[in-house]
Structure formats: structure tokens, C-alpha cells
Amino acid sequence: MNDASLILEGGGMRGAYTTGVIDFFLDEKIEFSSCYAVSAGACHCCSLLTKQHGRAYHIVTDYTKDKNYAGLYSLLTTGNFFGAKMIYEDIPERLYPLDYNEFNRYSGKFYVVATDMITGKAEYFRIRDLKKDITKIQASASLPFLSRNVIINGRPYLDGGMADAIPLKKSQQDGNKKNVVVLTRDVTYRKLPPDFKNLGKMRYRKYPNLVEKLNNRYLRYNVDLEYIEEQEKEGKVFVIRPEKPITIGRLERDVKKLKALYDEGYNDIKKRKDELYNYLNS
């Protein structure tokens, strides 16, 4: 196991890129002493830590057309665009079971990021028991406007990307000297101000701190990107990102496009294999 941390950002279905990177890690038997994951990245990290090659990719593609997995039917009938029951119960328990025994053999630390709706701050949940802690992963991946609040210990949570989309600084604060960051946007990308400021105020009027996080998320995200690029230039982090702009959205359901993005992720890191090993062994 490498004495290094892995940071996975979210991005909804753009996470298909991450699933390709994950499968490369599994093929190469690359393990990390800690993982910090957000939203879709948190879901995909489960397959990495259970060492189930192809699982993350197949979940993204095999069920994407199922009305219970994602879509308007799920949103109208359950309040979640991405069906919580199917994703966090049916798939991990029955359709494509997680290897809980393998996860229990993982000696590192796994954290997922969720946003506390009351404070608007990031909560870094340590995942110790993958089966019992699945609700924390659900909270991390519950997109605003498209998901119901997830209650943990009496407090409401939503998508971790609102409070800390790329938790590199958190990993460094925890003492991790080497960090591998997987992004789902290319180097030219910068987030724009939201078009839904009034919608956020109406939808989450009981949670003013969350509204602030929603409206100013683009500022924090862009600052994080600048920090990551500085750290990368200094050789302090190793960044894996798409080489060209990704054209699909976070709700993409075209299997061919998702497969192409998976291949892109796998091939991007495969081409930089030697660079990665040099960084991890330096």
C-alpha cells in the first residue's frame, strides 16, 4: 500500500471518467493509505476499496436506462432523480453486491464529504463499515434540487460538493504528504455563477447557510482549482484529469458516451503510468 492519499471529486455521470481511472488502479494493484471522496466519487470509491474491477463502470452503464435508477419517474415517485433504494439497497445487496469482506481488509482510511444543511459546512464522515455507513455515502451524493435530504444523527445533509468539492486541503491538513487527485473536468474549466439563485432561496429557505454555499460554490471551486494547479506545478500533488473538455452533463444517460469517457479515464492514466509511479515512490 502506498503512503499516499486519493482524492476523488464528483460530477454526476461525468464520474464515468473516474471509473476508468479506478479500474487502472485495480489492474496495477495500486492502493492508497487514505481516500477522500465526494458525491459520485464516493460511490465509485466503494468499488475501488472492495477491489471489484468493472463494478463502478457497469453500475453507471448497465442500469442507467432503468426508471428506478435515474430519471423523471424516480424523481416524481421518490423525490430523488437517482433512485436511492435501487442505488443504495438493491444494487449493493442484490444486483451487483459489494464485497464487504474485502472492504473490511482495507487497512487505510476512507472519508466521504457531505454538506450539513444547517451550518453549510463540510462533514467528513469516516466510513468504517461499508454496509452500515451506506447512508453517509448517499448523503455525499444527494444532489441539491434533485434529491431528498438525508438525515444522519438527526441532522439533514446533501451533496458534499457544495461545501468541499475537492478535499485536497483536508487531506493535507490530516498529514498526507502525497496526494493523487482525480478531477472530472479538464485544466481549462472554470465554474460559472449559478442561474438559480432565487430557486435556491425558495427551495432551501429554511437553510440560509446552505443557500450561501450554493450561490458561492463557483468561487470556492475555482479557488480550489487554482490551488491544485499551484501544488501540481510544485510537484506536491499528482493530478489526473481529462485532456480535453468533457461535453456530457452530470445527468448523461447515453451509454456510448459514458463508455467513451470510461476509456478516456483509463487511457489517460495508463499513458502517465511511469509518472504516477515516480511520484508515489519519490
Side-chain angles (χ1 to χ4, degrees), residues 84-150:
K85 181 180 183 300
M86 185 172 186
I87 294 174
Y88 302 105
E89 293 181 30
D90 296 343
I91 292 177
E93 295 295 326
R94 180 172 56 83
L95 298 175
Y96 205 140
L98 283 164
D99 188 339
Y100 297 116
N101 290 330
E102 184 60 49
F103 178 83
N104 291 337
R105 285 189 281 270
Y106 175 59
S107 59
K109 297 178 180 179
F110 176 29
Y111 297 93
V112 300
V113 186
T115 301
D116 185 315
M117 296 178 64
I118 297 173
T119 66
K121 296 181 179 180
E123 184 77 35
Y124 303 92
F125 288 115
R126 171 86 181 270
I127 305 301
R128 300 176 185 275
D129 184 315
L130 194 54
K131 188 171 185 176
K132 292 181 179 179
D133 291 338
I134 197 72
T135 304
K136 296 172 182 177
I137 296 166
Q138 178 185 348
S140 180
S142 293
L143 298 174
F145 304 110
L146 297 176
S147 304
R148 299 177 64 181
N149 308 344
V150 177

Side-chain angles (χ1 to χ4, degrees), residues 243-271:
E243 294 182 353
K244 57 182 183 294
I246 288 181
T247 57
I248 73 170
R250 64 172 57 240
L251 304 181
E252 181 63 63
R253 300 174 72 187
D254 186 311
V255 174
K256 289 184 178 179
K257 292 181 180 179
L258 295 172
K259 173 62 165 63
L261 195 53
Y262 166 89
D263 290 339
E264 188 177 339
Y266 191 98
N267 292 327
D268 279 355
I269 185 55
K270 183 178 181 180
K271 288 185 294 186

Side-chain angles (χ1 to χ4, degrees), residues 195-207:
D195 297 323
F196 50 76
K197 284 190 175 182
N198 291 330
L199 179 60
K201 289 180 181 179
M202 290 187 292
R203 176 66 176 84
Y204 299 112
R205 59 186 178 276
K206 294 181 180 179
Y207 305 103

Side-chain angles (χ1 to χ4, degrees), residues 13 28 31 48 59 63 81 88 145 167 186 241 252 280:
M13 301 304 274
E28 293 290 314
E31 297 183 71
L48 173 66
I59 288 173
Y63 305 109
F81 183 90
Y88 302 105
F145 304 110
D186 75 292
R241 60 166 73 84
E252 181 63 63
L280 293 174

